[in-house]
Amino acid sequence: QVQLQESGPGLVKPSQTLSLTCTVSGGSISSGRYYWSWIRQPAGKGLEWIGRIYTSGSTNYNPSLKSRVTISVDTSKNQFSLNLSSVTAADTAVYFCARETGFHSQQWFDPWGQGTLVTVSS
Amino acid sequence: DIQMTQSPSSLSASVGDRVTITCRASQSISSYLNWYQQKPGKAPKLLIYAASSLQSEVPSRFSGSGSGTDFTLTINSLQPEDFATYYCQQSYNTPPYTFGQGTKLEIK
């Protein structure tokens, strides 16, 4: 079955850009009608949807982060990536990647990656 | 954005109990509501999609109901492995998708 794995630096300095990659295994990122999302969770807090990308490259972002977020896809590597610029301590969180699936306009997240902790600190 | 409010925020129960968690949307979302279970240090796991459809391999003691603005997740005969945090999530219309703040289910 499809599995997702996040990777990237665990420590980012304030004002710099957070960059993470999600590698999809067990299936092609291009197959099927799926969106691929990033979601984050600060320690002890709830989940925040960051944005998503379709394999065509079409994206949607959370308006609260839109000015700082870029999500891209590399179908040749079966990966999609997140860039979050001008980070502050408030961006410290566990970052998850997830596949958005569904039917008849119903959508849900399944599966998820295991998550990766990114700390913003000097 | 559509706001999702869960109640209670935390809940204590015993093995074998039946528990109900409520999720309310700030506007009607039809049946565009999903439920997830999250254990410490793990990713959320999909339990229920489209308000009432049980995800494959999820035990039948989990059930979901509701439409419009009010939804419930019910767990019958709680098992030790069910103690976790539960989140609702709306997928109505176009993003941004939003989650409830979570309900932590603890052992009494």
Side-chain angles (χ1 to χ4, degrees):
Chain A
Q1 77 263 19
V2 170
Q3 294 182 313
L4 289 73
Q5 177 70 60
E6 305 88 350
S7 59
L11 181 64
V12 181
K13 289 182 167 55
S15 80
Q16 293 190 343
T17 296
L18 178 160
S19 296
L20 296 174
T21 296
C22 182
T23 300
V24 179
S25 59
S28 170
I29 199 170
S30 301
S31 67
R33 298 172 64 180
Y34 299 118
Y35 281 92
W36 303 89
S37 278
W38 287 97
I39 296 158
R40 70 181 183 177
Q41 184 174 40
K45 296 189 177 181
L47 298 157
E48 179 181 32
W49 179 80
I50 299 170
R52 69 179 186 177
I53 190 165
Y54 196 62
T55 47
S56 65
S58 171
T59 55
N60 299 98
Y61 299 131
N62 192 320
S64 67
L65 297 168
K66 187 174 183 177
S67 64
R68 299 193 291 129
V69 173
T70 304
I71 297 176
S72 58
V73 64
D74 187 337
T75 55
S76 68
K77 294 182 178 179
N78 231 29
Q79 295 175 335
F80 63 107
S81 298
L82 169 70
N83 277 357
L84 180 65
S85 64
S86 304
V87 297
T88 70
D91 296 308
T92 295
V94 174
Y95 286 75
F96 296 99
C97 56
R99 185 180 70 178
E100 183 183 327
T101 188
F103 60 89
H104 296 161
S105 77
Q106 292 275 5
Q107 297 288 307
W108 53 85
F109 298 112
D110 182 67
W112 296 58
Q114 65 184 28
T116 188
L117 174 62
V118 178
T119 301
V120 178
S121 175
S122 55
Chain B
D1 299 359
I2 298 173
Q3 305 303 314
M4 306 302 294
T5 304
Q6 289 181 231
S7 61
S9 295
S10 63
L11 176 60
S12 294
S14 300
V15 172
D17 285 353
R18 179 186 189 213
V19 300
T20 298
I21 298 169
T22 298
C23 179
R24 175 165 289 176
S26 60
Q27 68 180 74
S28 177
I29 57 171
S30 185
S31 62
Y32 292 79
L33 192 283
N34 308 309
W35 289 98
Y36 301 86
Q37 175 193 67
Q38 186 179 33
K39 296 183 178 179
K42 300 294 187 181
K45 171 189 173 184
L46 178 69
L47 297 176
I48 302 284
Y49 61 90
S52 60
S53 296
L54 191 66
Q55 171 68 344
S56 175
E57 299 186 6
V58 172
S60 59
R61 63 181 179 272
F62 291 91
S63 64
S65 65
S67 66
T69 60
D70 295 318
F71 302 86
T72 59
L73 172 70
T74 299
I75 312 172
N76 287 302
S77 188
L78 271 174
Q79 298 300 300
E81 61 267 28
D82 299 336
F83 293 93
T85 300
Y86 293 85
Y87 292 94
C88 61
Q89 175 246 328
Q90 64 81 17
S91 61
Y92 183 74
N93 211 350
T94 55
Y97 299 134
T98 48
F99 293 83
Q101 81 278 16
T103 295
K104 186 173 184 179
L105 177 55
E106 299 175 302
I107 301 175
K108 184 181 290 184

